[in-house]
Amino acid sequence: METKTINEIQNEIIEELEPLEDWMDRYQVIIEYGKDLEEPNDEDKNLKNLIQGCQSRVWIVTEQRDGRLYFKADSDALIVKGIAAMLIRIVNGQKAEDIAKANLYIIEKLQLTQHLSPTRSNGLFAMIQHIKRVAIEMVTKQ
């Protein structure tokens, strides 16, 4: 099965959310994304995997298999868990170098930061930084 590119997945999510003009409807869909998220086990919910800079607690666990990165995440806030699920949907199963150089234009296209509280926006960027940092570390190890 051909893996979709990061941009193809971003475009899919944009197509799902853009028609919803009411942000309460968009939030509901984003929260739904979180319900399908593969969560890390309790042992992985530790300080090493805790994302710094988020108001709520968010854990992102990364696994490398066959030159690709796979992520699991959880949060104690539903909207943040949904945002994490959306980010992971975009990067899950992608090559580290593709994640490292990816332009996550979905944030701007959907105007996410304008519709999230400043602390949630900071958390969103902290999650992106974490995912990119892990990918860059993997690339430099190769």
Side-chain angles (χ1 to χ4, degrees):
M1 183 177 99
E2 181 88 12
T3 304
K4 291 180 183 173
T5 67
I6 288 172
N7 288 352
E8 286 172 337
I9 298 167
Q10 288 188 94
N11 292 338
E12 264 181 16
I13 295 170
I14 290 166
E15 285 175 28
E16 291 168 14
L17 293 175
E18 229 173 19
L20 305 172
E21 292 181 22
D22 182 342
W23 267 89
M24 294 314 286
D25 293 337
R26 283 190 185 187
Y27 288 140
Q28 198 54 51
V29 171
I30 291 170
I31 288 169
E32 288 296 317
Y33 291 156
K35 293 179 180 174
D36 297 329
L37 187 60
E38 188 177 352
E39 296 177 9
N41 58 39
D42 288 340
E43 300 85 61
D44 286 330
K45 291 182 183 178
N46 55 41
L47 275 178
K48 179 179 154 266
N49 297 317
L50 187 66
I51 306 303
Q52 302 303 315
C54 288
Q55 179 183 18
S56 40
R57 297 191 317 160
V58 182
W59 299 269
I60 297 180
V61 178
T62 312
E63 184 182 325
Q64 184 179 13
R65 294 191 309 263
D66 303 323
R68 296 183 180 272
L69 297 179
Y70 296 88
F71 300 88
K72 294 179 185 177
D74 196 11
S75 175
D76 56 8
L78 290 176
I79 189 74
V80 175
K81 186 174 179 174
I83 291 167
M86 188 173 68
L87 289 175
I88 286 173
R89 179 173 157 191
I90 294 167
V91 297
N92 214 28
Q94 300 291 336
K95 293 178 181 169
E97 56 268 20
D98 293 339
I99 296 169
K101 67 181 182 188
N103 171 14
L104 297 179
Y105 56 81
I106 190 170
I107 310 304
E108 199 171 294
K109 184 85 170 130
L110 291 175
Q111 300 179 323
L112 277 172
T113 52
Q114 291 93 314
H115 293 276
L116 293 172
S117 67
T119 54
R120 295 262 191 262
S121 289
N122 289 344
L124 167 64
F125 289 118
M127 286 186 267
I128 291 170
Q129 281 180 315
H130 174 83
I131 290 168
K132 290 243 184 201
R133 188 173 55 248
V134 167
I136 291 165
E137 286 171 10
M138 295 290 181
V139 169
T140 56
K141 284 182 185 175
Q142 293 175 355

